[in-house]
Structure formats: structure tokens, C-alpha cells
Amino acid sequence: MKKSQPGSSVFLLVLTFSFSVSWATLSSPGSGELISCLQSNSNNVTTISQLIFTPVNSSFQPIWQVAVQNTRFLKPSTPKPSVIVTPVEETLIQTSLYCAKKHGYEIRIRSGGHDYEGLSYTADVPFVMLDFTNMRSIDVDVANSIAWVQAGATLGELYYAISQKTDTLYFPAGVCPTVGVGGYMGGGGYGNLLRKYGTAADNVVDVRFMDVNGNILDRKSMGEDLFWAIRGGGASSFGIVLAWKLGLVSVPEKVTVFILNKTLEDGATEIFHKYQYVAPNIDRNLHIRTQVFAEYIGNTTKKTIRIMFEGIYQGTRDTLLPLLDEKFPELGVTPEICEEVRMVQSTVVFWGLPSSTPTEILTNRSAIAKLNNKSKSDYVRTPIPISGLKKIWRKLIENDGSALLMINPFGGRIADFSETAIPYPHRAGVLLQILKTVNFNGQPSDTTPTSLRRIAWLRSLDVLLTPYVSKNPREAYSNYNDLDLGVGSANYEEASVWGERYWKRDNFKKLIRIKAKVDPQNFFRRPQSIPVF
């Protein structure tokens, strides 16, 4: 595996913030023994002093903050690490693991900073944050359709690296460019190719992984049980992902994208009702995501619902249009709104930017807007009736404009796998996945009266949706982790409240058994991590 990122030298965050630090000024109250341990177990004290930060360093706050992707956690009350370690190679990770264990610190692992509850960079206990921003190399092997990707790389960097070598291979993952590869695969991962190729984790073929004892393992040496667990069961519950080996998938040189909007006045309710039947069952080359908003009609005080249909087809418009004319003419897709682009450009489009945007933006972490929200997820297994859709629309119209529903159809390849093939269980029979979000835009924090009303509204939406979503368990997506589901882990009964929603019973019990074998002291723990009883 290459030791540097294609097209650039190894990125050192220390250079970005241009600082120098000595060991004499590195320690902060309470972290002195840990710092001494790191120093005494390192070969190059000068180098390591440039990769470790405590709150006494002027660079500590900027380094912690730069990858906090949900800005609701950017507040003084958010607990921060005792020490941030930004390794450039694996031995410092081993040293950090050893010293954290020895001196009673927990570890949090941050690859991209997109944890929905901020659990990769905050904790209520003393902890060391391993920030993988300096370990982001990507090695694309076109001839063998694989890529080795270090944990600190982002999806955008991966897509760009692939596109620099070929337009006929890609990786089936999400469309947010700043999501870190390390944590993303650990939850399963889905995107616009899910109906064609399944989840991201379905396409992981090997790994470089550090266990609780500092041993570096691959698929063969760790065994199939652990390899199964880390692909969808929350890899950070079991150890530290250093790099993933990914199987790349075939895509055409040009794909077709389209975006169109329908309001209630355009018949959006009836169109969406049919969408539930068509989108999960249509040709696997077609994926149609929807976003649902409430908005005012022009300059009036009356609200309507707008549904944005965003399509991507693995082929040309000449093949797409007859397909839609046959299966979904009500949608009204015309040649004028169809655009043929490279696959990498489609990622830019689905992030809300023009297709003409230079694809280098996918590698520019600071150019991608951060989130400021609270989210929940659901899965739909039976089409929601018109009456139910109208109730949901009325609920959205009650909202103050902070709400969004993002809906992806399932079916196709993702449903071909058994729900126990990997821990990610949301497979056959799932029609739609719903991401429900409220933002805190215009609010100084998520605890203002307005913000609290928005959170209460989101929870009440959850109640309203109960008759229309999956049951026993009510499924949820572990990458959209939601601490509202519960955090109890003293026994199986407590943990099953949230664990069975993410992974279902058989998978959750298997994850617990594997956890007990590989991390029996439960060192790798956080809220909603796989427990040890």
C-alpha cells in the first residue's frame, strides 16, 4: 500500500496550523503520565511532539474543531479529549493504545467526524482521540478493481482518486464527500449504487486492523467472525481500522442524472404513493432518491409540500426515458432535464452542486458545508397509504421550516444478501429508508427554546410514523446513531432496546459473542457500542 495520497504529499495537519511545541509545554493537568508514557515509548520524541496535542496547545481547539462535522457540538459544554493524537504511521497508534490502557483513558477514533451523536470526538470520561487526518493514502489498482484506502481518507477523496485513473470503476458508497472511510464501512454504508451493488460493506474484501492488544491483523489472521463483525457491526467496538481493501465496481463511462420537483398542487401525493411501488422494484440501474420539504407558496402565507426527485441511471438517457415512460410516466421525466455525466460528477450533483463544478471539490474538506442538526432513521416495508402520507405532510407543514425527510428506495442487489451475511440487516422486504432531520439554523445552540421545540417536533414525528414503518423491531440505521433509542448496556435486556433496532436479534447476539472474545475487558466502548456482559 502506498504511503502517500495520490497526487499530493502526506498531509500534516501540524503544517496547516503552523505551530511548534515542546514536551515541556505539552502536558495539561491530569495528562502528564499519559504524555510521559507516549514519550518514553516512542523512538522519535521530536516527531511525536508535533503529532500530540493537549488543551494547553493553541492548536488543540482548531484541530479538534476542524472535523466536527455537526456544528451543534461546537459549544463550550461539549467534553473534549484529554489528548489528541494525529498519527502518521501505525506505531504511534500502538503506543497510544498501550498508554491509554495503562493510564485509564478511553479511546475515541475519528476518521471524518460525521458521527451523528459526536461520539468520535467527545465523551463524558477522560479519553484520547485518535484523529486519522494524516493517514489518508489511497491506492487504486484499476487492473484488479481494488483500492486500499487508509481510515482517514474521505469518500470524496476516494471517488476523486478513482476518477483520476478510470471512469468505468467506482465504489458503492454515499454522496457526502467529507464522510470518513474508516468509520463509514463499519456501519454498512449505502449510496446511489445500493440497488446495483449493495452496501459499501458488502464490497469490502480485506482490512488492516489493530486489536485491543496492538496486534495488526488482516482478514486471514483475524478470522471470518471478526471480519464479519467489523463490516456493519460498528468496527470501533472491536478495535481500530487502519485501512480497508475495497472491491471497485463497474460503471458506464457516462451515467444519466435528473432532478425534478413536485408539489401538492402538481399531484405530489399520488406520485409519491406510486413511487413506493416503483422505485424499489424498477431496473437496478436506476436509483431515485427523494427529499421532502414543507415550504411557502410564493409570497403567500400558505404552505405546500415539495418533493425533490433525484435520479441516477447507469446508462444513457435514450435507455432511461423509455423505461420511465413504461414504469413511471407520472413522474414526468423529459429529455431536457436529463444530463449525461461521469460517475464522479454525479456525486457532485447529488451533493447539490452543478455538474460543471470541478470534481477537485470532492477533496476540499473545507469547501463542503457542515451539518447542524438532529436526525433519526426508519425503514418502510409496506407502502404508506395516501391517508398516511397526508398525515405526514400535515406534520411537516406544522414545522417551522427546519425539517427534511431524505428517502432512499431499496430493493435490488441490497436485498439479495441474507440479513445475516454481515451485521447490516436491512435487506429483503425493505422498500424505503427514511432519514428524518431537523436543523438548528439561526440558533446559537441546540438547547435554545426554539431548538428544543424542533427536537420535540422530530420526536413527535417519530410517534406519528409508528404505524407506517417496520415493526418488531422498529429498524434503525447504526450509521445514523440516535442516543434517544437508549444507551443501557448492563444486560441484554437493556442493550436489546437499541441493539436489535440497529442489527436485529441474531446479528446483535453474534456481535456480543465476538466482542467478548476479542475485547473481553470492553476497552473499546462508548454509548451504544457492542457490550460485554
Side-chain angles (χ1 to χ4, degrees):
M1 183 176 176
K2 292 182 180 178
K3 298 301 181 185
S4 62
Q5 184 178 359
S8 68
S9 60
V10 173
F11 174 85
L12 292 178
L13 193 64
V14 295
L15 298 180
T16 303
F17 294 105
S18 301
F19 79 103
S20 63
V21 64
S22 69
W23 283 102
T25 60
L26 189 59
S27 297
S28 62
S31 66
E33 288 185 342
L34 177 65
I35 297 298
S36 296
C37 181
L38 292 167
Q39 179 184 15
S40 62
N41 287 279
S42 301
N43 294 326
N44 190 327
V45 173
T46 301
T47 299
I48 198 174
S49 71
Q50 298 174 336
L51 303 173
I52 294 175
F53 309 85
T54 71
V56 301
N57 304 126
S58 60
S59 299
F60 176 88
Q61 179 69 19
I63 290 169
W64 177 81
Q65 183 172 319
V66 69
V68 174
Q69 299 292 347
N70 194 334
T71 60
R72 74 181 172 106
F73 297 108
L74 292 179
K75 52 188 178 184
S77 61
T78 298
K80 297 176 180 63
S82 301
V83 177
I84 298 173
V85 181
T86 60
V88 296
E89 41 76 32
E90 293 168 349
T91 57
L92 181 53
I93 302 171
Q94 290 170 315
T95 301
S96 300
L97 176 59
Y98 168 78
C99 293
K101 290 166 60 181
K102 181 178 180 180
H103 293 287
Y105 289 79
E106 292 188 13
I107 276 185
R108 296 293 184 269
I109 304 160
R110 185 169 77 177
S111 54
H114 272 270
D115 186 287
Y116 271 43
E117 296 283 11
L119 300 181
S120 63
Y121 50 81
T122 184
D124 291 326
V125 296
F127 72 103
V128 175
M129 186 181 85
L130 287 176
D131 189 332
F132 274 84
T133 189
N134 293 331
M135 295 183 68
R136 52 202 275 196
S137 73
I138 301 170
D139 185 4
V140 177
D141 180 350
V142 173
N144 292 298
S145 299
I146 59 169
W148 269 107
V149 187
Q150 283 189 311
T154 64
L155 294 181
E157 291 163 353
L158 170 61
Y159 298 148
Y160 183 76
I162 296 170
S163 74
Q164 293 306 289
K165 292 196 171 185
T166 177
D167 283 330
T168 58
L169 292 174
Y170 216 61
F171 187 71
V175 298
C176 179
T178 52
V179 167
V181 167
Y184 176 79
M185 309 295 169
Y190 74 93
N192 288 340
L193 290 171
L194 72 89
R195 303 192 64 254
K196 179 78 170 180
Y197 291 113
T199 70
D202 292 328
N203 293 277
V204 170
V205 295
D206 210 336
V207 69
R208 191 164 174 84
F209 184 83
M210 187 177 297
D211 71 9
V212 70
N213 298 312
N215 301 310
I216 296 176
L217 309 172
D218 61 9
R219 177 176 184 170
K220 183 178 180 180
S221 60
M222 71 171 53
E224 286 301 307
D225 273 358
L226 181 53
F227 187 62
W228 176 89
I230 63 175
R231 292 173 298 145
S236 63
S237 287
F238 301 92
I240 303 168
V241 172
L242 305 171
W244 295 106
K245 184 180 182 181
L246 308 178
L248 305 183
V249 300
S250 297
V251 294
E253 289 188 359
K254 291 291 179 72
V255 299
T256 303
V257 296
F258 64 85
I259 299 175
L260 78 164
N261 292 278
K262 299 290 185 180
T263 65
L264 295 183
E265 294 70 30
D266 301 321
T269 302
E270 292 73 20
I271 293 170
F272 186 87
H273 184 252
K274 182 168 182 179
Y275 165 85
Q276 299 176 96
Y277 293 87
V278 175
N281 296 297
I282 203 167
D283 189 320
R284 296 181 179 199
N285 287 303
L286 178 59
H287 183 81
I288 307 175
R289 183 178 78 175
T290 55
Q291 297 189 56
V292 185
F293 319 80
E295 63 182 18
Y296 287 103
I297 300 174
N299 295 321
T300 72
T301 57
K302 182 181 179 183
K303 283 185 174 181
T304 188
I305 294 295
R306 174 166 64 91
I307 304 178
M308 180 188 298
F309 294 84
E310 302 168 286
I312 176 170
Y313 178 69
Q314 302 295 306
T316 66
R317 64 166 65 89
D318 290 342
T319 311
L320 168 64
L321 291 170
L323 173 66
L324 286 172
D325 284 344
E326 177 188 356
K327 302 291 187 180
F328 202 6
E330 297 86 352
L331 189 57
V333 175
T334 63
E336 292 75 24
I337 66 169
C338 294
E339 185 178 9
E340 294 180 4
V341 298
R342 300 160 60 212
M343 189 66 194
V344 69
Q345 291 173 284
S346 76
T347 299
V348 174
V349 171
F350 268 72
W351 191 242
L353 300 171
S355 62
S356 58
T357 305
T359 55
E360 287 83 359
I361 196 171
L362 297 175
T363 68
N364 186 342
R365 300 183 184 203
S366 63
I368 305 299
K370 294 186 176 185
L371 304 175
N372 182 18
N373 61 19
K374 167 68 179 175
S375 300
K376 294 177 174 292
S377 61
D378 263 312
Y379 290 86
V380 174
R381 290 179 170 270
T382 303
I384 302 172
I386 293 284
S387 59
L389 294 176
K390 289 180 177 180
K391 290 179 182 178
I392 296 168
W393 303 162
R394 285 195 293 270
K395 187 68 177 175
L396 284 168
I397 287 171
E398 289 174 9
N399 181 266
D400 64 0
S402 63
L404 163 69
L405 304 183
M406 185 172 289
I407 302 170
N408 278 275
F410 274 37
R413 180 60 176 157
I414 197 170
D416 291 342
F417 293 88
S418 161
E419 64 181 31
T420 60
I422 62 173
Y424 180 94
H426 316 294
R427 302 289 191 170
V430 173
L431 302 178
L432 307 172
Q433 179 191 264
I434 305 178
L435 173 64
K436 305 157 290 182
T437 294
V438 290
N439 67 58
F440 305 113
N441 298 344
Q443 299 301 304
S445 77
D446 61 353
T447 58
T448 66
T450 295
S451 295
L452 294 175
R453 282 195 297 273
R454 292 175 180 177
I455 293 172
W457 178 92
L458 181 62
R459 290 170 178 161
S460 67
L461 174 66
D462 235 27
V463 174
L464 184 147
L465 286 173
T466 301
Y468 309 115
V469 297
S470 59
K471 299 171 179 64
N472 301 316
R474 181 173 179 172
E475 299 168 66
Y477 178 37
S478 65
N479 268 355
Y480 295 157
N481 54 324
D482 176 11
L483 296 185
D484 286 355
L485 303 185
V487 295
S489 59
N491 52 55
Y492 187 82
E493 184 179 7
E494 279 190 8
S496 66
V497 171
W498 48 268
E500 291 187 5
R501 292 188 65 172
Y502 290 143
W503 296 292
K504 295 195 174 181
R505 178 170 297 180
D506 288 349
N507 287 353
F508 191 41
K509 287 188 171 182
K510 183 175 179 180
L511 288 167
I512 291 169
R513 291 194 299 270
I514 296 168
K515 169 75 170 182
K517 291 179 181 178
V518 302
D519 184 18
Q521 301 304 312
N522 198 22
F523 175 75
F524 291 110
R525 63 186 183 272
R526 53 170 174 73
Q528 294 186 346
S529 61
I530 303 301
V532 174
F533 305 128

